Amino acid sequence: MKIATFFTLLSCLALPVPAQTDLEFQTPPPGIMELADYERAPSLSLDSKREYMLLSYRPTYKTLSELKQEEMRLAGLRINPVTNISATLTYSGNLKLRKVSDPAETQVSGLPAAPRIAYVSWSPDEKKIAFTNTAETGVELWVLDVATARAERLTGPVLNANLGEPYSWLRDSRTLLVRTLPADRPPLLNPKVELPKGPTTSEGTGEKSQTRTYQDLLKNPMDEKNFETLVTAELHLVGLDGRSRLFKTADMYAGESVAPGGEYILVTTLRRPFSYIVPLGRFPMRETVYALDGREIKTVNEVPLTEIMPKGFSSVRKGRRSVQWRSDKPATLFFVEALDEGDPQKKADHRDQAWLWDAPFGEEPRPFFRTVQRYAGVTWGDDGTALAFDRWYDTRNAKTYLVDPSAPGKEPRVLHDRNYQDIYSDPGTFATRRLPNGRRVMLIENGKAWLLGEGYTKTGQFPFVDELDLSSLETNRLYRSELKDRKETLVSIEDAAAGEVLTWIQSSTEYPNYYFRNIKTGELRQITAFRNPFESIKDVKREILKYKRKDGVELTGKLYLPAGYDPAKDGKLPLLIWAYPREFKDKDSAGQTSQTPNDFIYPHHGSFIYWVRRGYAVLDDASFPIVGEGKKEPNNTFLKQLRMNAEAAIKAVDGLGVADKDRVAVGGHSYGAFMTANLLTHTDLFACGIARSGAYNRTLTPFGFQGEQRNYWDAPEVYDRISPFMTADKMKKPLLLVHGAADDNPGTFTLQTERYFQALKNLGAPVRMVLLPEESHGYEARENIFHLLWEQDVFLEKCLKKKGD
């Protein structure tokens, strides 16, 4: 590189404010700010009778003060020890109700001032809606009466939500099982005050394991004590009149599930010993069934500490897993056990055995069905019908079985046997219905079931409704969406006999709204009217660009061009490419696309779309597949395939005569940041790049990352070759590194960016690092997001748009 050129690259990072001191939060220019500062539409929840809908309004962004709340990071959790709820939870700030048949919205009365609403749940009879409100000193339980649209507080700030949803409705719709703070809770230990009583010790047992790098783990006995204090709770039965009675005394309650019949409650408790290398999901647990009067019926599962796991994404622990109530029976438990000791490396004709166990558990569990691959779920139907699912990561195969719960041991019938990455062959998702107890089961009428499909094909997207005969297994297509300039998403079947379906319709300029579609008569009735908050880009030009990389894999990307842009008059534009690499086992699946020109144009800080207002061409969501066919590992040719993807994208846009191939920037978040750093290091295709919250040294994630199942000692040359940190001396292009200062994602520690920046800076690379205060892996605070957009805009204007001026 010429010396003059190198100093030009360095100067592009000289922002108009000091790089390290006295930099206050900035806001982006008006064209971007107009798009970023918008009001979010409410989320929607309908009752099963299609009479009422609940509208939940939440702020578009959090504030920095919300992120800076008191926080303790323990066992994979981030807990606010003052309010006893997750410090990362997103709240709604308002609730409204309306009748489906009436567009008028009714403001819910009685809400607390400045509410922070979470864990919203309809009662089984759908006449009430419970929710929590996080007050300054703790979490309260509230109930909303649907008919009157009035909310009332049931409890004071006494709920313990540190392990998630702190209440469950009972079958009677008049009582809730509530997790509360114990009356004699001890004070938390302060690590800044308390002196340790000894060193922290851990040891290996000689067994091999594939344990990934987790964040926020327990580190010492003081953490253990504080964790136990924070998650310990009592269980109380609270009536709608506010009266409370103790159900179970203090313990580390991690989950409560009321049986569909309402007579029993399955309670999960955490046990010791804890671990310093895995989060709480792998701590010892006990699962016990109780009667409504608190009597213990049966301990149905004991789960040991699981620090040791076999290698591979299809590995599971030994013992009973997925213990749950069967949705269509009053009190029958279902669970599975591995037949291969949870080790995918062992040969086995069947991987998992499923069991059924009737309360009060006087008899032994009875075998239900076995899966050829790893169990992946069950959907209950009726006495003679259920669906079972299995899948296998190494082959990307998924199977759907029709099983008969009334005939355990009867051979399941295979409904679907497919590559789950092949979206063109996706048969759809089975429709379900809500039972009076609040559970959902397969929608079955007259021996028929229904599937709702997204309908992706080579020629476009055509969502569909299929009818499946459960005896013959023949399907009949009842409906195929043929909308030309709009996109339809079939949400649920509301009335199979009448042919009524809840659907979601949008276009590139039409904000998504809900409709009822009658697939028999063709009638379409709109039920929401959310407005488009991004009118200023309604005239932006967009097309789905299709192209191929040199090995023939078909690729796509969403190309955006400024409104009114004329190539002949305006010349070629600087090009921004935003992407995220994805792994595939075959080229055909890698070449498929779910992109459609009728998707609503939704600018957000997770893309470059904003910059179409600043005179850039933007290729958003560009395909960057990494393919490893058969027994070939994708990462063995990761760098080669990255280059092919990038070359193909730039060539495709350049071929339209709209982009200056000498002024191309690349960006990505998380694994996309890893991609960006590699592309700048190993190719000359890009003038600069933006890498956000990535991991750059794979020796710091030695037991696998993303789709890589091998550990560092299995493939050290791969880990080293694709780690940008290892080749930091070869990186000469301007790079903007951004990271949340409190990243909670496994593997993408903030340290990854700090160490990579130090290497690049000391090696003379033109690099700027921005650490967003209090942010986790996904950015949420208004101040940080606006500043991020400003940083990116200044960087792109200086390092790309004006490159060569």
Side-chain angles (χ1 to χ4, degrees):
M1 178 181 292
K2 295 181 180 179
I3 293 179
T5 303
F6 182 67
F7 279 104
T8 299
L9 295 178
L10 285 174
S11 67
C12 90
L13 291 167
L15 300 182
V17 291
Q20 292 175 302
T21 59
D22 302 327
L23 177 60
E24 296 183 352
F25 286 113
Q26 304 292 310
T27 56
I32 293 178
M33 190 65 174
E34 183 181 6
L35 297 172
D37 192 13
Y38 72 98
E39 184 177 341
R40 183 191 299 271
S43 60
L44 180 71
S45 176
L46 273 73
D47 68 4
S48 62
K49 306 179 196 67
R50 306 185 304 285
E51 293 180 353
Y52 287 94
M53 64 173 70
L54 177 70
L55 301 170
S56 300
Y57 293 80
R58 69 180 179 93
T60 304
Y61 306 110
K62 292 184 178 181
T63 64
L64 193 57
S65 61
E66 288 180 85
L67 298 190
K68 198 171 174 56
Q69 63 185 288
E70 191 170 347
E71 180 181 83
M72 297 187 76
R73 302 176 183 181
L74 302 167
L77 299 176
R78 294 189 174 185
I79 293 171
N80 184 320
V82 175
T83 55
N84 290 289
I85 197 168
S86 170
T88 63
L89 202 63
T90 297
Y91 296 106
S92 294
N94 193 18
L95 298 175
K96 294 182 181 180
L97 277 166
R98 55 162 280 201
K99 289 186 176 181
V100 173
S101 59
D102 184 352
E105 298 176 2
T106 301
Q107 173 62 53
V108 172
S109 64
L111 291 174
R116 291 193 290 170
I117 296 166
Y119 297 121
V120 178
S121 175
W122 293 77
S123 63
D125 65 7
E126 298 182 306
K127 294 181 179 180
K128 307 286 184 181
I129 299 173
F131 61 90
T132 63
N133 175 58
T134 302
E136 289 187 6
T137 58
V139 181
E140 307 164 336
L141 180 62
W142 288 65
V143 169
L144 162 62
D145 181 76
V146 175
T148 63
R150 178 166 182 80
E152 294 183 346
R153 191 179 75 165
L154 279 190
T155 74
V158 297
L159 273 63
N160 188 334
N162 288 325
L163 287 181
E165 186 167 15
Y167 72 89
S168 303
W169 281 102
L170 264 59
R171 179 71 175 82
D172 63 6
S173 294
R174 298 190 302 272
T175 314
L176 299 102
L177 180 65
V178 183
R179 209 181 298 158
T180 66
L181 302 173
D184 57 349
R185 180 177 182 175
L188 294 170
L189 302 177
N190 188 340
K192 295 181 180 179
V193 176
E194 302 284 342
L195 290 175
K197 297 180 179 179
T200 299
T201 63
S202 296
E203 62 183 38
T205 63
E207 296 180 85
K208 291 184 178 181
S209 182
Q210 189 85 343
T211 302
R212 290 201 168 193
T213 49
Y214 296 104
Q215 304 268 38
D216 305 333
L217 299 176
L218 300 178
K219 297 179 177 64
N220 50 55
M222 192 179 301
D223 279 355
E224 291 189 59
K225 184 62 178 175
N226 282 337
F227 172 74
E228 184 171 9
T229 297
L230 286 166
V231 302
T232 296
E234 295 175 349
L235 294 180
H236 286 255
L237 292 172
V238 179
L240 292 181
D241 58 2
R243 295 181 180 179
S244 174
R245 67 178 176 87
L246 181 67
F247 178 71
K248 297 302 297 179
T249 56
D251 208 334
M252 292 184 286
Y253 296 108
E256 302 84 40
S257 175
V258 180
E263 297 181 13
Y264 302 99
I265 300 174
L266 175 66
V267 176
T268 303
T269 53
L270 295 175
R271 321 306 298 169
R272 283 182 174 269
F274 302 147
S275 171
Y276 295 173
I277 65 172
V278 294
L280 69 93
R282 289 165 66 173
F283 287 4
M285 294 187 188
R286 176 177 295 155
E287 295 178 289
T288 305
V289 174
Y290 296 92
L292 281 186
D293 60 7
R295 288 180 297 111
E296 180 176 330
I297 303 300
K298 183 79 172 181
T299 294
V300 296
N301 197 17
E302 292 275 6
V303 180
L305 175 64
T306 310
E307 290 184 332
I308 306 300
M309 286 283 284
K311 186 188 299 183
F313 292 159
S314 295
S315 65
V316 294
R317 62 171 173 79
K318 299 177 184 178
R320 293 173 181 171
R321 316 186 321 270
S322 301
V323 179
Q324 58 186 267
W325 294 110
R326 180 175 162 181
S327 300
D328 62 328
K329 288 293 181 182
T332 298
L333 283 178
F334 166 86
F335 61 88
V336 296
E337 289 181 296
L339 296 172
D340 57 3
E341 298 185 316
D343 188 349
Q345 308 303 317
K346 293 187 176 182
K347 292 184 178 181
D349 293 330
H350 293 87
R351 295 291 175 177
D352 282 321
Q353 172 70 59
W355 301 84
L356 293 172
W357 201 3
D358 296 326
F361 316 110
E363 299 180 358
E364 291 298 309
R366 61 185 187 277
F368 183 17
F369 63 84
R370 294 185 298 175
T371 62
V372 176
Q373 303 177 129
R374 190 64 70 207
Y375 165 79
V378 63
T379 300
W380 302 101
D382 55 25
D383 285 343
T385 308
L387 298 169
F389 308 90
D390 71 14
R391 61 170 49 198
W392 199 249
Y393 178 80
D394 288 359
T395 60
R396 309 302 197 269
N397 181 263
K399 292 181 175 65
T400 303
Y401 305 88
L402 189 64
V403 293
D404 184 350
S406 68
K410 181 180 178 181
E411 194 68 22
R413 292 193 289 172
V414 178
L415 286 178
H416 308 129
D417 185 350
R418 54 184 293 272
N419 175 355
Y420 60 75
Q421 291 186 316
D422 178 4
I423 62 174
Y424 294 169
S425 69
D426 191 342
T429 302
F430 280 89
T432 62
R433 63 183 178 93
R434 189 180 190 274
L435 296 174
N437 58 26
R439 301 272 180 157
R440 299 199 71 87
V441 296
M442 285 177 66
L443 176 58
I444 302 173
E445 291 185 10
N446 301 318
K448 303 287 198 308
W450 289 266
L451 295 106
L452 303 174
E454 293 180 296
Y456 295 114
T457 72
K458 290 183 178 180
T459 57
Q461 186 183 8
F462 307 97
F464 60 83
V465 178
D466 278 356
E467 180 186 70
L468 173 68
D469 187 300
L470 295 172
S471 295
S472 66
L473 303 188
E474 294 181 355
T475 58
N476 175 34
R477 183 139 301 174
L478 301 179
Y479 173 74
R480 185 175 188 257
S481 179
E482 299 286 353
L483 296 179
K484 299 299 182 185
D485 300 320
R486 303 162 86 197
K487 175 182 176 177
E488 182 171 17
T489 302
L490 303 169
V491 179
S492 59
I493 293 180
E494 298 296 318
D495 188 330
E500 191 149 288
V501 176
L502 178 66
T503 188
W504 200 47
I505 295 178
Q506 62 188 295
S507 74
S508 61
T509 58
E510 177 186 344
Y511 195 85
N513 274 289
Y514 288 93
Y515 297 74
F516 282 128
R517 174 182 290 284
N518 191 297
I519 61 175
K520 292 185 176 181
T521 66
E523 179 188 2
L524 187 65
R525 177 163 57 96
Q526 187 170 350
I527 60 172
T528 64
F530 304 138
R531 68 175 187 85
N532 179 3
F534 308 116
E535 288 285 339
S536 61
I537 57 170
K538 66 179 181 180
D539 295 326
V540 162
K541 299 178 180 178
R542 181 178 70 170
E543 67 172 292
I544 302 301
L545 195 60
K546 297 184 178 182
Y547 50 99
K548 291 183 179 182
R549 70 185 196 186
K550 56 166 93 165
D551 64 351
V553 175
E554 296 181 351
L555 307 176
T556 56
K558 300 175 184 176
L559 178 64
Y560 297 85
L561 298 173
Y565 169 67
D566 183 348
K569 182 179 67 174
D570 301 324
K572 294 184 175 183
L573 304 175
L575 172 64
L576 308 180
I577 298 177
W578 187 268
Y580 188 94
R582 302 184 188 279
E583 296 186 0
F584 294 87
K585 289 303 293 180
D586 66 285
K587 292 181 178 179
D588 288 341
S589 297
Q592 296 178 357
T593 181
S594 61
Q595 296 181 1
T596 164
N598 297 324
D599 279 322
F600 179 69
I601 300 178
Y602 203 122
H604 57 96
H605 68 278
S607 76
F608 279 143
I609 295 177
Y610 293 113
W611 278 269
V612 75
R613 289 289 304 275
R614 298 281 284 163
Y616 293 82
V618 176
L619 187 65
D620 189 46
D621 197 17
S623 299
F624 265 69
I626 308 298
V627 184
E629 294 191 301
K631 295 185 178 181
K632 295 180 180 178
E633 294 290 342
N635 284 331
N636 288 356
T637 54
F638 181 80
L639 297 179
K640 177 183 177 181
Q641 294 193 61
L642 278 190
R643 174 185 284 275
M644 286 195 296
N645 293 325
E647 287 175 338
I650 294 172
K651 182 180 178 181
V653 182
D654 180 57
L656 299 176
V658 299
D660 180 353
K661 64 180 181 180
D662 292 324
R663 290 189 297 166
V664 183
V666 63
H669 188 91
S670 193
Y671 207 50
F674 176 71
M675 169 204 75
T676 297
N678 270 305
L679 285 169
L680 293 185
T681 302
H682 299 290
T683 78
D684 292 320
L685 299 169
F686 299 96
C688 59
I690 298 174
R692 299 183 352 198
S693 295
Y696 308 102
N697 183 350
R698 286 305 173 192
T699 68
L700 299 179
T701 55
F703 286 97
F705 58 89
Q706 203 69 10
E708 179 57 69
Q709 299 183 87
R710 297 170 295 181
N711 62 44
Y712 176 78
W713 296 271
D714 292 329
E717 69 289 347
V718 172
Y719 275 67
D720 290 340
R721 184 170 61 248
I722 66 177
S723 293
F725 182 87
M726 303 303 182
T727 49
D729 59 323
K730 295 180 172 58
M731 232 293 286
K732 307 300 180 186
K733 300 293 180 65
L735 175 63
L736 177 62
L737 284 170
V738 183
H739 215 116
D743 197 324
D744 59 347
N745 188 55
T748 56
F749 306 99
T750 307
L751 180 70
Q752 287 270 8
T753 285
E754 292 173 323
R755 291 292 181 263
Y756 188 41
F757 169 76
Q758 290 171 346
L760 293 174
K761 179 179 179 180
N762 289 336
L763 291 167
V767 61
R768 177 177 174 85
M769 180 177 69
V770 179
L771 299 182
L772 300 175
E774 311 298 334
E775 291 288 1
S776 298
H777 193 61
Y779 313 147
E780 297 181 294
R782 178 186 182 91
E783 300 92 330
N784 281 328
I785 289 172
F786 289 173
H787 184 84
L788 166 71
L789 298 176
W790 175 82
E791 288 274 2
Q792 293 183 165
D793 186 70
V794 172
F795 177 81
L796 293 170
E797 289 289 296
K798 294 178 72 69
C799 297
L800 188 68
K801 183 179 280 188
K802 298 177 182 179
K803 179 179 180 289
D805 288 356

